[in-house]
Amino acid sequence: MHRKILGLESATGPKILALGFFWSAFCAPKKTDQAKRSIFERYFLELGNMEIFDYDNILLLPRKCRVESRSECDAGVELGGRKFRLPVVPANMKTVVDENICLWMAQNNYFYVMHRFDLDNVQFVKDMHAKGVYASISLGVKAPDRETVDTWAAAGLTPEYITIDIAHGHADSVRDMIAYIKAKLPKSFVIAGNVATPEAVIDLENWGADATKVGVGPGKVCITKLKTGFGTGGWQLSALKWCARVATKPIIADGGIRSHGDIAKSIRFGASMVMIGSLFAGHEESPGKTVEVNGELFKEYYGSASDFNKGEYKHVEGKRILEPVKGKLANTLIEMEQDVQSSISYAGGTKLMDVRKVNYVILGGDNAGEHLLM
């Protein structure tokens, strides 16, 4: 009889253990801790039956429509006590968002996360609050980031959202930064990432994160998998499904989105919000440099771990590309909202989370077939 096996890393080298042994010997919670037991049971069930796929390999299956018009469907989502028009957020990258874009998005009920590069974070929060909108900011995990938190606290400033944004977010440094923010600014909603595994999601939630950001290297300008051999590039949607199985708090799916339909697929497999870079880069308002090639206008778009962003070629995991200028950001957001509304109607629903109730098919490969509410 074939048994599922699992690789285990230890001080004496990798081991191959049967899943049942691994569960019973190391991870089975006490029977009295039912919530924790349920999380781990889902984790190991998923490990034993894991399917590998990405956005291009999945199609969602329609259900009977319940609305007269797609415009009746509510594409909004709640995060951190606020309702936003769409479950999308532009990537917190220098060539995707700036102060003006963030202000416009806040004023129009969209979620944003300002990047953390070459920015006066303290002044940014002051300015956003002075204009009557929420502040959503990014931080790293180093001493200057802790000093920023100290300055906010001393000035009586509380950013409504703080995203701890590093490439490998399953780290002791992130654990310590979450604790530092929670001690100084307990009312801030803390998003932490980026991560790629259920173990990481469990840890970040236990460390106090209010939401986790899932995705390591699947973005269009990310080359993590080529440079390091690690990441979720090529299987981001499957990784999202895997992580969502153990999550008890919101997940932001970060990277790998190439079309508007991928938003609905992300929601179906457990995301509450979807972070998107390339589809938001290249607008007239985008801060990337405008470049003309053979009479056509493009916007510069580069990864946060690229030498273009770092200013030096050191630990580079990103690249630079040119995105065709797409027009106005507002028009793209309207089209996205209409497309998500259409997705909801195809799901037989009236609100965003109804998309999670649909079945799906995997196209091609060993996992091909129809899957019923899995």
Side-chain angles (χ1 to χ4, degrees):
M1 177 179 176
H2 176 71
R3 294 204 301 167
K4 300 289 184 180
I5 58 175
L6 178 70
L8 173 66
E9 183 179 341
S10 74
T12 56
K15 305 290 186 291
I16 301 297
L17 301 175
L19 265 181
F21 174 81
F22 190 92
W23 168 264
S24 60
F26 295 103
C27 292
K30 295 179 180 178
K31 291 183 179 179
T32 54
D33 192 348
Q34 293 299 324
K36 188 174 181 182
R37 181 182 180 86
S38 177
I39 289 173
F40 275 94
E41 283 175 344
R42 292 201 307 271
Y43 180 16
F44 282 95
L45 176 63
E46 187 70 12
L47 276 173
N49 300 279
M50 190 172 177
E51 300 161 335
I52 303 300
F53 52 76
D54 211 348
Y55 291 97
D56 288 345
N57 309 118
I58 292 291
L59 279 177
L60 306 178
L61 295 178
R63 302 179 73 183
K64 184 169 72 73
C65 185
R66 297 166 52 198
V67 295
E68 294 292 328
S69 169
R70 302 173 195 210
S71 61
E72 298 174 26
C73 297
D74 181 6
V77 67
E78 187 274 334
L79 185 73
R82 284 176 175 76
K83 177 76 177 287
F84 298 103
R85 285 181 62 175
L86 271 177
V88 299
V89 54
N92 49 338
M93 303 163 73
K94 282 177 67 174
T95 52
V96 178
V97 293
D98 60 11
E99 292 93 329
N100 291 331
I101 289 175
C102 291
L103 176 61
W104 183 89
M105 295 199 70
Q107 290 173 333
N108 288 275
N109 297 322
Y110 296 109
F111 185 51
Y112 76 88
V113 178
M114 182 58 180
H115 66 74
R116 61 184 176 89
F117 307 105
D118 304 317
L119 178 76
D120 185 338
N121 281 335
V122 175
Q123 190 60 49
F124 177 85
V125 174
K126 287 181 179 178
D127 290 344
M128 297 301 277
H129 285 174
K131 292 168 182 174
V133 297
Y134 70 91
S136 177
I137 198 72
S138 303
L139 288 178
V141 293
K142 299 187 183 301
D145 300 295
R146 291 191 291 274
E147 291 169 6
T148 296
V149 173
D150 292 339
T151 303
W152 283 332
L157 294 170
T158 299
E160 284 77 5
Y161 300 87
I162 299 175
T163 297
I164 302 173
D165 181 45
I166 67 173
H168 186 12
H170 192 197
D172 290 342
S173 58
V174 172
R175 176 198 62 199
D176 296 343
M177 192 64 181
I178 293 172
Y180 198 84
I181 294 170
K182 288 295 184 179
K184 300 278 186 173
L185 301 167
K187 293 184 179 180
S188 291
F189 186 90
V190 176
I191 302 164
N194 281 26
V195 299
T197 65
E199 177 191 7
V201 171
I202 291 168
D203 278 347
L204 263 62
E205 289 190 355
N206 287 339
W207 295 341
D210 298 301
T212 56
K213 198 141 69 79
V214 171
V216 175
K220 198 171 183 179
V221 291
C222 224
I223 56 174
T224 299
K225 70 176 182 179
L226 301 178
K227 297 281 279 183
T228 72
F230 286 80
T232 61
W235 67 289
Q236 167 69 5
L237 189 59
S238 187
L240 171 62
K241 176 189 175 185
W242 194 28
C243 291
R245 283 295 187 94
V246 303
T248 62
K249 298 175 183 178
I251 284 180
I252 298 175
D254 183 8
I257 304 298
R258 301 291 184 265
S259 63
H260 295 180
D262 294 342
I263 299 169
K265 294 176 186 179
S266 299
I267 300 301
R268 167 60 183 84
F269 287 101
S272 295
M273 187 73 70
V274 186
M275 181 169 274
I276 305 173
S278 61
L279 296 184
F280 281 120
H283 287 95
E284 294 176 15
E285 306 93 331
S286 299
K289 179 182 177 182
T290 302
V291 178
E292 183 175 346
V293 180
N294 297 326
E296 186 176 357
L297 294 180
F298 295 83
K299 283 279 190 170
E300 190 177 54
Y301 173 47
Y302 51 73
S304 296
S306 69
D307 53 325
F308 298 95
N309 191 66
K310 290 170 174 277
E312 61 176 340
Y313 200 90
K314 182 179 180 182
H315 298 305
V316 168
E317 296 178 29
K319 65 180 181 179
R320 170 185 174 269
I321 64 173
L322 296 177
E323 282 286 326
V325 174
K326 303 176 176 73
K328 293 287 187 181
L329 175 62
N331 293 336
T332 293
L333 285 165
I334 290 171
E335 183 180 355
M336 278 185 176
E337 183 173 16
Q338 292 172 350
D339 290 344
V340 173
Q341 287 176 318
S342 293
S343 296
I344 296 168
S345 74
Y346 275 110
T350 59
K351 58 186 184 300
L352 182 67
M353 291 305 161
D354 289 334
V355 174
R356 291 191 179 171
K357 301 174 184 177
V358 302
N359 303 327
Y360 64 94
V361 292
I362 300 178
L363 308 176
D366 293 338
N367 297 321
E370 182 175 347
H371 295 254
L372 306 176
L373 296 177
M374 294 177 65

